Amino acid sequence: MPIYEFRCADCKKVTNYFTRKIDTEVRPPCEHCGSPNTSRMMSKFGRSYTRQDILEKYGDPSAGRGGPEDYRDPRQIGTWVEKKFEEYGMDLPEEARTMIDAAREGEFPDPVKDL
């Protein structure tokens, strides 16, 4: 089920249009200003990376000096957090575990989405 994106010529904002069928003729009005002057955009797409993909691309941070330069991808920050909690003999909070697992699947929290 495709989601199409349209840019409004009047307010320049993006409208998302969900449809159950592939329909290239649809031109929904802008959801922000109501203008009918919308044009279809090329949509972004995502790709999921496995932990192994990240290690191959950026290297294994455990092989480095342990500094910030060893964590060039936000997904690797979770490894550093896990190590620090283990070093201090503390249990990793469930919320942190959830965020780390989500980041490893490519779903970043808002503060780091655009890094």
Side-chain angles (χ1 to χ4, degrees):
M1 290 187 254
I3 298 175
Y4 294 113
E5 294 179 312
F6 293 83
R7 175 150 332 264
C8 177
D10 297 332
C11 73
K12 309 295 185 226
K13 293 186 178 177
V14 175
T15 294
N16 293 314
Y17 181 78
F18 172 78
T19 181
R20 294 185 187 272
K21 60 181 180 167
I22 296 175
D23 186 359
T24 57
E25 299 300 318
V26 69
R27 286 189 59 177
C30 176
E31 63 187 30
H32 305 282
C33 72
S35 171
N37 299 324
T38 58
S39 58
R40 189 164 161 204
M41 299 173 52
M42 193 66 135
S43 297
K44 294 179 183 178
F45 63 93
R47 179 192 188 282
S48 295
Y49 293 94
T50 66
R51 182 166 172 74
Q52 188 59 39
D53 291 336
I54 300 304
L55 292 176
E56 287 172 9
K57 184 173 181 179
Y58 296 102
D60 185 354
S62 63
R65 298 184 316 230
E69 65 279 358
D70 292 333
Y71 301 95
R72 294 179 297 232
D73 185 282
R75 287 167 278 227
Q76 291 175 312
I77 295 170
T79 302
W80 179 84
V81 171
E82 291 167 333
K83 284 181 182 180
K84 288 300 174 187
F85 270 88
E86 187 176 320
E87 279 179 28
Y88 295 126
M90 298 171 62
D91 291 331
L92 186 66
E94 190 58 37
E95 183 177 319
R97 165 61 47 218
T98 301
M99 288 189 342
I100 289 169
D101 291 344
R104 287 182 176 147
E105 295 298 319
E107 299 174 25
F108 301 124
D110 287 334
V112 297
K113 277 187 178 176
D114 296 324
L115 291 179

